[in-house]
PDB file of all heavy atoms in Angstrom:
ATOM      1  N   SER X  59      -9.191   2.756   6.011  1.00 96.00           N
ATOM      2  CA  SER X  59      -7.790   2.989   5.613  1.00 96.00           C
ATOM      3  C   SER X  59      -7.202   1.790   4.891  1.00 96.00           C
ATOM      4  O   SER X  59      -6.364   1.946   4.008  1.00 96.00           O
ATOM      5  CB  SER X  59      -6.950   3.411   6.826  1.00 96.00           C
ATOM      6  OG  SER X  59      -6.914   2.388   7.778  1.00 96.00           O
ATOM      7  N   GLY X  60      -7.681   0.596   5.224  1.00 96.00           N
ATOM      8  CA  GLY X  60      -7.271  -0.611   4.487  1.00 96.00           C
ATOM      9  C   GLY X  60      -7.756  -0.584   3.063  1.00 96.00           C
ATOM     10  O   GLY X  60      -7.043  -0.943   2.134  1.00 96.00           O
ATOM     11  N   ILE X  61      -9.020  -0.165   2.895  1.00 97.00           N
ATOM     12  CA  ILE X  61      -9.571  -0.019   1.552  1.00 97.00           C
ATOM     13  C   ILE X  61      -8.736   0.970   0.762  1.00 97.00           C
ATOM     14  O   ILE X  61      -8.376   0.723  -0.405  1.00 97.00           O
ATOM     15  CB  ILE X  61     -11.043   0.464   1.590  1.00 97.00           C
ATOM     16  CG1 ILE X  61     -11.936  -0.568   2.271  1.00 97.00           C
ATOM     17  CG2 ILE X  61     -11.578   0.831   0.207  1.00 97.00           C
ATOM     18  CD1 ILE X  61     -12.071  -1.843   1.546  1.00 97.00           C
ATOM     19  N   GLY X  62      -8.385   2.074   1.371  1.00 97.00           N
ATOM     20  CA  GLY X  62      -7.568   3.085   0.738  1.00 97.00           C
ATOM     21  C   GLY X  62      -6.199   2.555   0.338  1.00 97.00           C
ATOM     22  O   GLY X  62      -5.687   2.870  -0.748  1.00 97.00           O
ATOM     23  N   ALA X  63      -5.590   1.720   1.194  1.00 96.00           N
ATOM     24  CA  ALA X  63      -4.283   1.157   0.885  1.00 96.00           C
ATOM     25  C   ALA X  63      -4.364   0.223  -0.323  1.00 96.00           C
ATOM     26  O   ALA X  63      -3.521   0.256  -1.211  1.00 96.00           O
ATOM     27  CB  ALA X  63      -3.708   0.442   2.075  1.00 96.00           C
ATOM     28  N   ILE X  64      -5.418  -0.586  -0.369  1.00 97.00           N
ATOM     29  CA  ILE X  64      -5.591  -1.513  -1.500  1.00 97.00           C
ATOM     30  C   ILE X  64      -5.810  -0.718  -2.782  1.00 97.00           C
ATOM     31  O   ILE X  64      -5.183  -0.991  -3.807  1.00 97.00           O
ATOM     32  CB  ILE X  64      -6.756  -2.489  -1.264  1.00 97.00           C
ATOM     33  CG1 ILE X  64      -6.382  -3.395  -0.110  1.00 97.00           C
ATOM     34  CG2 ILE X  64      -7.053  -3.285  -2.512  1.00 97.00           C
ATOM     35  CD1 ILE X  64      -7.552  -4.244   0.388  1.00 97.00           C
ATOM     36  N   LEU X  65      -6.711   0.275  -2.718  1.00 97.00           N
ATOM     37  CA  LEU X  65      -6.977   1.097  -3.897  1.00 97.00           C
ATOM     38  C   LEU X  65      -5.709   1.836  -4.352  1.00 97.00           C
ATOM     39  O   LEU X  65      -5.478   1.990  -5.577  1.00 97.00           O
ATOM     40  CB  LEU X  65      -8.127   2.054  -3.672  1.00 97.00           C
ATOM     41  CG  LEU X  65      -9.508   1.411  -3.586  1.00 97.00           C
ATOM     42  CD1 LEU X  65     -10.532   2.438  -3.190  1.00 97.00           C
ATOM     43  CD2 LEU X  65      -9.875   0.726  -4.877  1.00 97.00           C
ATOM     44  N   GLY X  66      -4.946   2.333  -3.431  1.00 97.00           N
ATOM     45  CA  GLY X  66      -3.700   3.009  -3.743  1.00 97.00           C
ATOM     46  C   GLY X  66      -2.729   2.092  -4.476  1.00 97.00           C
ATOM     47  O   GLY X  66      -2.067   2.479  -5.456  1.00 97.00           O
ATOM     48  N   ARG X  67      -2.619   0.845  -3.996  1.00 97.00           N
ATOM     49  CA  ARG X  67      -1.719  -0.110  -4.646  1.00 97.00           C
ATOM     50  C   ARG X  67      -2.271  -0.474  -6.019  1.00 97.00           C
ATOM     51  O   ARG X  67      -1.500  -0.669  -6.968  1.00 97.00           O
ATOM     52  CB  ARG X  67      -1.554  -1.389  -3.828  1.00 97.00           C
ATOM     53  CG  ARG X  67      -0.958  -1.199  -2.439  1.00 97.00           C
ATOM     54  CD  ARG X  67       0.343  -0.418  -2.381  1.00 97.00           C
ATOM     55  NE  ARG X  67       0.055   0.996  -2.276  1.00 97.00           N
ATOM     56  CZ  ARG X  67       0.802   2.028  -2.683  1.00 97.00           C
ATOM     57  NH1 ARG X  67       1.953   1.814  -3.267  1.00 97.00           N
ATOM     58  NH2 ARG X  67       0.409   3.279  -2.555  1.00 97.00           N
ATOM     59  N   TYR X  68      -3.599  -0.585  -6.135  1.00 97.00           N
ATOM     60  CA  TYR X  68      -4.225  -0.845  -7.434  1.00 97.00           C
ATOM     61  C   TYR X  68      -3.851   0.251  -8.442  1.00 97.00           C
ATOM     62  O   TYR X  68      -3.416  -0.038  -9.557  1.00 97.00           O
ATOM     63  CB  TYR X  68      -5.716  -0.967  -7.267  1.00 97.00           C
ATOM     64  CG  TYR X  68      -6.484  -0.936  -8.571  1.00 97.00           C
ATOM     65  CD1 TYR X  68      -6.551  -2.054  -9.393  1.00 97.00           C
ATOM     66  CD2 TYR X  68      -7.081   0.237  -9.016  1.00 97.00           C
ATOM     67  CE1 TYR X  68      -7.227  -2.007 -10.586  1.00 97.00           C
ATOM     68  CE2 TYR X  68      -7.763   0.310 -10.235  1.00 97.00           C
ATOM     69  CZ  TYR X  68      -7.841  -0.830 -11.002  1.00 97.00           C
ATOM     70  OH  TYR X  68      -8.494  -0.793 -12.227  1.00 97.00           O
ATOM     71  N   LYS X  69      -4.019   1.490  -8.047  1.00 97.00           N
ATOM     72  CA  LYS X  69      -3.708   2.618  -8.936  1.00 97.00           C
ATOM     73  C   LYS X  69      -2.235   2.633  -9.305  1.00 97.00           C
ATOM     74  O   LYS X  69      -1.867   2.863 -10.464  1.00 97.00           O
ATOM     75  CB  LYS X  69      -4.103   3.944  -8.312  1.00 97.00           C
ATOM     76  CG  LYS X  69      -5.623   4.105  -8.224  1.00 97.00           C
ATOM     77  CD  LYS X  69      -5.966   5.393  -7.477  1.00 97.00           C
ATOM     78  CE  LYS X  69      -7.470   5.486  -7.263  1.00 97.00           C
ATOM     79  NZ  LYS X  69      -7.839   6.623  -6.433  1.00 97.00           N
ATOM     80  N   ARG X  70      -1.381   2.389  -8.305  1.00 96.00           N
ATOM     81  CA  ARG X  70       0.073   2.403  -8.552  1.00 96.00           C
ATOM     82  C   ARG X  70       0.460   1.288  -9.524  1.00 96.00           C
ATOM     83  O   ARG X  70       1.266   1.490 -10.415  1.00 96.00           O
ATOM     84  CB  ARG X  70       0.793   2.227  -7.203  1.00 96.00           C
ATOM     85  CG  ARG X  70       2.291   2.203  -7.324  1.00 96.00           C
ATOM     86  CD  ARG X  70       2.841   3.577  -7.644  1.00 96.00           C
ATOM     87  NE  ARG X  70       4.274   3.581  -7.504  1.00 96.00           N
ATOM     88  CZ  ARG X  70       5.131   3.350  -8.512  1.00 96.00           C
ATOM     89  NH1 ARG X  70       4.685   3.089  -9.736  1.00 96.00           N
ATOM     90  NH2 ARG X  70       6.408   3.338  -8.301  1.00 96.00           N
ATOM     91  N   MET X  71      -0.093   0.090  -9.332  1.00 97.00           N
ATOM     92  CA  MET X  71       0.246  -1.011 -10.218  1.00 97.00           C
ATOM     93  C   MET X  71      -0.300  -0.773 -11.617  1.00 97.00           C
ATOM     94  O   MET X  71       0.339  -1.113 -12.622  1.00 97.00           O
ATOM     95  CB  MET X  71      -0.283  -2.331  -9.681  1.00 97.00           C
ATOM     96  CG  MET X  71       0.440  -2.797  -8.421  1.00 97.00           C
ATOM     97  SD  MET X  71       2.238  -2.985  -8.667  1.00 97.00           S
ATOM     98  CE  MET X  71       2.241  -4.470  -9.677  1.00 97.00           C
ATOM     99  N   ARG X  72      -1.486  -0.175 -11.728  1.00 96.00           N
ATOM    100  CA  ARG X  72      -2.048   0.129 -13.023  1.00 96.00           C
ATOM    101  C   ARG X  72      -1.120   1.105 -13.802  1.00 96.00           C
ATOM    102  O   ARG X  72      -0.950   0.976 -15.003  1.00 96.00           O
ATOM    103  CB  ARG X  72      -3.433   0.725 -12.850  1.00 96.00           C
ATOM    104  CG  ARG X  72      -4.251   0.709 -14.151  1.00 96.00           C
ATOM    105  CD  ARG X  72      -5.636   1.112 -13.932  1.00 96.00           C
ATOM    106  NE  ARG X  72      -5.651   2.514 -13.539  1.00 96.00           N
ATOM    107  CZ  ARG X  72      -6.729   3.221 -13.211  1.00 96.00           C
ATOM    108  NH1 ARG X  72      -7.894   2.646 -13.225  1.00 96.00           N
ATOM    109  NH2 ARG X  72      -6.638   4.485 -12.912  1.00 96.00           N
ATOM    110  N   GLU X  73      -0.528   2.050 -13.070  1.00 95.00           N
ATOM    111  CA  GLU X  73       0.408   2.999 -13.698  1.00 95.00           C
ATOM    112  C   GLU X  73       1.583   2.320 -14.362  1.00 95.00           C
ATOM    113  O   GLU X  73       2.107   2.777 -15.353  1.00 95.00           O
ATOM    114  CB  GLU X  73       0.959   3.989 -12.644  1.00 95.00           C
ATOM    115  CG  GLU X  73      -0.032   4.981 -12.139  1.00 95.00           C
ATOM    116  CD  GLU X  73       0.552   5.798 -10.960  1.00 95.00           C
ATOM    117  OE1 GLU X  73       1.735   5.571 -10.573  1.00 95.00           O
ATOM    118  OE2 GLU X  73      -0.187   6.598 -10.396  1.00 95.00           O
ATOM    119  N   ILE X  74       2.043   1.218 -13.764  1.00 94.00           N
ATOM    120  CA  ILE X  74       3.232   0.534 -14.285  1.00 94.00           C
ATOM    121  C   ILE X  74       2.876  -0.744 -15.037  1.00 94.00           C
ATOM    122  O   ILE X  74       3.772  -1.541 -15.386  1.00 94.00           O
ATOM    123  CB  ILE X  74       4.248   0.246 -13.151  1.00 94.00           C
ATOM    124  CG1 ILE X  74       3.656  -0.709 -12.101  1.00 94.00           C
ATOM    125  CG2 ILE X  74       4.738   1.532 -12.521  1.00 94.00           C
ATOM    126  CD1 ILE X  74       4.683  -1.187 -11.087  1.00 94.00           C
ATOM    127  N   GLY X  75       1.591  -0.925 -15.365  1.00 96.00           N
ATOM    128  CA  GLY X  75       1.161  -2.059 -16.164  1.00 96.00           C
ATOM    129  C   GLY X  75       1.049  -3.369 -15.394  1.00 96.00           C
ATOM    130  O   GLY X  75       1.019  -4.423 -16.003  1.00 96.00           O
ATOM    131  N   GLY X  76       0.969  -3.266 -14.082  1.00 97.00           N
ATOM    132  CA  GLY X  76       0.845  -4.478 -13.273  1.00 97.00           C
ATOM    133  C   GLY X  76      -0.596  -4.664 -12.778  1.00 97.00           C
ATOM    134  O   GLY X  76      -1.519  -3.998 -13.236  1.00 97.00           O
ATOM    135  N   ARG X  77      -0.760  -5.630 -11.875  1.00 96.00           N
ATOM    136  CA  ARG X  77      -2.079  -5.892 -11.365  1.00 96.00           C
ATOM    137  C   ARG X  77      -2.040  -6.204  -9.871  1.00 96.00           C
ATOM    138  O   ARG X  77      -0.987  -6.495  -9.344  1.00 96.00           O
ATOM    139  CB  ARG X  77      -2.785  -7.008 -12.135  1.00 96.00           C
ATOM    140  CG  ARG X  77      -1.940  -8.272 -12.211  1.00 96.00           C
ATOM    141  CD  ARG X  77      -2.673  -9.391 -12.869  1.00 96.00           C
ATOM    142  NE  ARG X  77      -3.244 -10.185 -11.754  1.00 96.00           N
ATOM    143  CZ  ARG X  77      -4.252 -10.998 -11.866  1.00 96.00           C
ATOM    144  NH1 ARG X  77      -4.866 -11.183 -12.983  1.00 96.00           N
ATOM    145  NH2 ARG X  77      -4.675 -11.682 -10.837  1.00 96.00           N
ATOM    146  N   VAL X  78      -3.255  -6.154  -9.274  1.00 97.00           N
ATOM    147  CA  VAL X  78      -3.404  -6.461  -7.821  1.00 97.00           C
ATOM    148  C   VAL X  78      -4.507  -7.491  -7.722  1.00 97.00           C
ATOM    149  O   VAL X  78      -5.490  -7.455  -8.488  1.00 97.00           O
ATOM    150  CB  VAL X  78      -3.771  -5.168  -7.056  1.00 97.00           C
ATOM    151  CG1 VAL X  78      -4.145  -5.487  -5.635  1.00 97.00           C
ATOM    152  CG2 VAL X  78      -2.638  -4.177  -7.091  1.00 97.00           C
ATOM    153  N   ALA X  79      -4.350  -8.408  -6.771  1.00 97.00           N
ATOM    154  CA  ALA X  79      -5.379  -9.431  -6.540  1.00 97.00           C
ATOM    155  C   ALA X  79      -5.448  -9.668  -5.038  1.00 97.00           C
ATOM    156  O   ALA X  79      -4.593  -9.240  -4.265  1.00 97.00           O
ATOM    157  CB  ALA X  79      -5.024 -10.705  -7.277  1.00 97.00           C
ATOM    158  N   VAL X  80      -6.525 -10.372  -4.624  1.00 97.00           N
ATOM    159  CA  VAL X  80      -6.703 -10.758  -3.226  1.00 97.00           C
ATOM    160  C   VAL X  80      -6.854 -12.267  -3.153  1.00 97.00           C
ATOM    161  O   VAL X  80      -7.292 -12.906  -4.112  1.00 97.00           O
ATOM    162  CB  VAL X  80      -7.916 -10.059  -2.570  1.00 97.00           C
ATOM    163  CG1 VAL X  80      -7.762  -8.571  -2.588  1.00 97.00           C
ATOM    164  CG2 VAL X  80      -9.209 -10.498  -3.220  1.00 97.00           C
ATOM    165  N   CYS X  81      -6.521 -12.828  -1.991  1.00 97.00           N
ATOM    166  CA  CYS X  81      -6.753 -14.249  -1.786  1.00 97.00           C
ATOM    167  C   CYS X  81      -7.075 -14.494  -0.307  1.00 97.00           C
ATOM    168  O   CYS X  81      -6.760 -13.681   0.554  1.00 97.00           O
ATOM    169  CB  CYS X  81      -5.594 -15.108  -2.246  1.00 97.00           C
ATOM    170  SG  CYS X  81      -4.061 -14.913  -1.292  1.00 97.00           S
ATOM    171  N   ASN X  82      -7.742 -15.607  -0.061  1.00 96.00           N
ATOM    172  CA  ASN X  82      -8.053 -16.097   1.295  1.00 96.00           C
ATOM    173  C   ASN X  82      -8.863 -15.115   2.135  1.00 96.00           C
ATOM    174  O   ASN X  82      -8.714 -15.103   3.348  1.00 96.00           O
ATOM    175  CB  ASN X  82      -6.767 -16.475   2.032  1.00 96.00           C
ATOM    176  CG  ASN X  82      -5.957 -17.553   1.278  1.00 96.00           C
ATOM    177  OD1 ASN X  82      -6.582 -18.513   0.818  1.00 96.00           O
ATOM    178  ND2 ASN X  82      -4.684 -17.378   1.192  1.00 96.00           N
ATOM    179  N   ALA X  83      -9.724 -14.368   1.518  1.00 96.00           N
ATOM    180  CA  ALA X  83     -10.602 -13.430   2.267  1.00 96.00           C
ATOM    181  C   ALA X  83     -11.790 -14.199   2.834  1.00 96.00           C
ATOM    182  O   ALA X  83     -12.455 -14.950   2.114  1.00 96.00           O
ATOM    183  CB  ALA X  83     -11.087 -12.297   1.378  1.00 96.00           C
ATOM    184  N   ASP X  84     -12.087 -14.021   4.122  1.00 95.00           N
ATOM    185  CA  ASP X  84     -13.264 -14.632   4.698  1.00 95.00           C
ATOM    186  C   ASP X  84     -14.508 -13.835   4.318  1.00 95.00           C
ATOM    187  O   ASP X  84     -14.399 -12.807   3.644  1.00 95.00           O
ATOM    188  CB  ASP X  84     -13.123 -14.814   6.210  1.00 95.00           C
ATOM    189  CG  ASP X  84     -13.150 -13.513   6.996  1.00 95.00           C
ATOM    190  OD1 ASP X  84     -13.497 -12.434   6.451  1.00 95.00           O
ATOM    191  OD2 ASP X  84     -12.776 -13.550   8.205  1.00 95.00           O
ATOM    192  N   GLU X  85     -15.647 -14.285   4.717  1.00 95.00           N
ATOM    193  CA  GLU X  85     -16.906 -13.644   4.295  1.00 95.00           C
ATOM    194  C   GLU X  85     -16.982 -12.186   4.760  1.00 95.00           C
ATOM    195  O   GLU X  85     -17.486 -11.334   4.042  1.00 95.00           O
ATOM    196  CB  GLU X  85     -18.118 -14.444   4.786  1.00 95.00           C
ATOM    197  CG  GLU X  85     -19.436 -13.943   4.179  1.00 95.00           C
ATOM    198  CD  GLU X  85     -19.411 -13.823   2.663  1.00 95.00           C
ATOM    199  OE1 GLU X  85     -18.926 -14.730   1.999  1.00 95.00           O
ATOM    200  OE2 GLU X  85     -19.869 -12.798   2.128  1.00 95.00           O
ATOM    201  N   ARG X  86     -16.494 -11.884   5.956  1.00 95.00           N
ATOM    202  CA  ARG X  86     -16.532 -10.528   6.472  1.00 95.00           C
ATOM    203  C   ARG X  86     -15.673  -9.608   5.587  1.00 95.00           C
ATOM    204  O   ARG X  86     -16.123  -8.514   5.223  1.00 95.00           O
ATOM    205  CB  ARG X  86     -16.009 -10.494   7.903  1.00 95.00           C
ATOM    206  CG  ARG X  86     -16.030  -9.093   8.502  1.00 95.00           C
ATOM    207  CD  ARG X  86     -15.545  -9.116   9.938  1.00 95.00           C
ATOM    208  NE  ARG X  86     -16.451  -9.939  10.738  1.00 95.00           N
ATOM    209  CZ  ARG X  86     -16.097 -10.546  11.865  1.00 95.00           C
ATOM    210  NH1 ARG X  86     -14.871 -10.446  12.330  1.00 95.00           N
ATOM    211  NH2 ARG X  86     -16.968 -11.251  12.565  1.00 95.00           N
ATOM    212  N   ILE X  87     -14.471 -10.020   5.239  1.00 96.00           N
ATOM    213  CA  ILE X  87     -13.602  -9.209   4.384  1.00 96.00           C
ATOM    214  C   ILE X  87     -14.201  -9.112   2.977  1.00 96.00           C
ATOM    215  O   ILE X  87     -14.185  -8.052   2.360  1.00 96.00           O
ATOM    216  CB  ILE X  87     -12.174  -9.783   4.386  1.00 96.00           C
ATOM    217  CG1 ILE X  87     -11.553  -9.741   5.776  1.00 96.00           C
ATOM    218  CG2 ILE X  87     -11.314  -9.016   3.366  1.00 96.00           C
ATOM    219  CD1 ILE X  87     -11.394  -8.368   6.403  1.00 96.00           C
ATOM    220  N   ARG X  88     -14.716 -10.232   2.464  1.00 96.00           N
ATOM    221  CA  ARG X  88     -15.370 -10.189   1.120  1.00 96.00           C
ATOM    222  C   ARG X  88     -16.493  -9.163   1.085  1.00 96.00           C
ATOM    223  O   ARG X  88     -16.652  -8.453   0.114  1.00 96.00           O
ATOM    224  CB  ARG X  88     -15.918 -11.540   0.757  1.00 96.00           C
ATOM    225  CG  ARG X  88     -14.905 -12.582   0.393  1.00 96.00           C
ATOM    226  CD  ARG X  88     -15.630 -13.868   0.091  1.00 96.00           C
ATOM    227  NE  ARG X  88     -14.694 -14.993   0.042  1.00 96.00           N
ATOM    228  CZ  ARG X  88     -14.049 -15.383  -1.039  1.00 96.00           C
ATOM    229  NH1 ARG X  88     -14.241 -14.743  -2.167  1.00 96.00           N
ATOM    230  NH2 ARG X  88     -13.253 -16.403  -1.005  1.00 96.00           N
ATOM    231  N   ARG X  89     -17.259  -9.093   2.177  1.00 96.00           N
ATOM    232  CA  ARG X  89     -18.351  -8.143   2.233  1.00 96.00           C
ATOM    233  C   ARG X  89     -17.822  -6.703   2.217  1.00 96.00           C
ATOM    234  O   ARG X  89     -18.401  -5.868   1.510  1.00 96.00           O
ATOM    235  CB  ARG X  89     -19.181  -8.388   3.528  1.00 96.00           C
ATOM    236  CG  ARG X  89     -20.382  -7.497   3.624  1.00 96.00           C
ATOM    237  CD  ARG X  89     -21.257  -7.929   4.847  1.00 96.00           C
ATOM    238  NE  ARG X  89     -22.454  -7.172   4.885  1.00 96.00           N
ATOM    239  CZ  ARG X  89     -22.585  -6.025   5.541  1.00 96.00           C
ATOM    240  NH1 ARG X  89     -21.550  -5.529   6.186  1.00 96.00           N
ATOM    241  NH2 ARG X  89     -23.734  -5.359   5.538  1.00 96.00           N
TER     242      ARG X  89
END
Side-chain angles (χ1 to χ4, degrees):
S59 60
I61 296 294
I64 294 170
L65 288 174
R67 299 309 87 208
Y68 167 79
K69 290 176 185 174
R70 180 71 170 94
M71 291 303 288
R72 197 174 66 182
E73 289 171 2
I74 63 173
R77 53 175 263 158
V78 172
V80 300
C81 67
N82 301 316
D84 68 14
E85 189 52 44
R86 181 179 299 155
I87 297 298
R88 286 178 194 273
R89 184 172 185 271

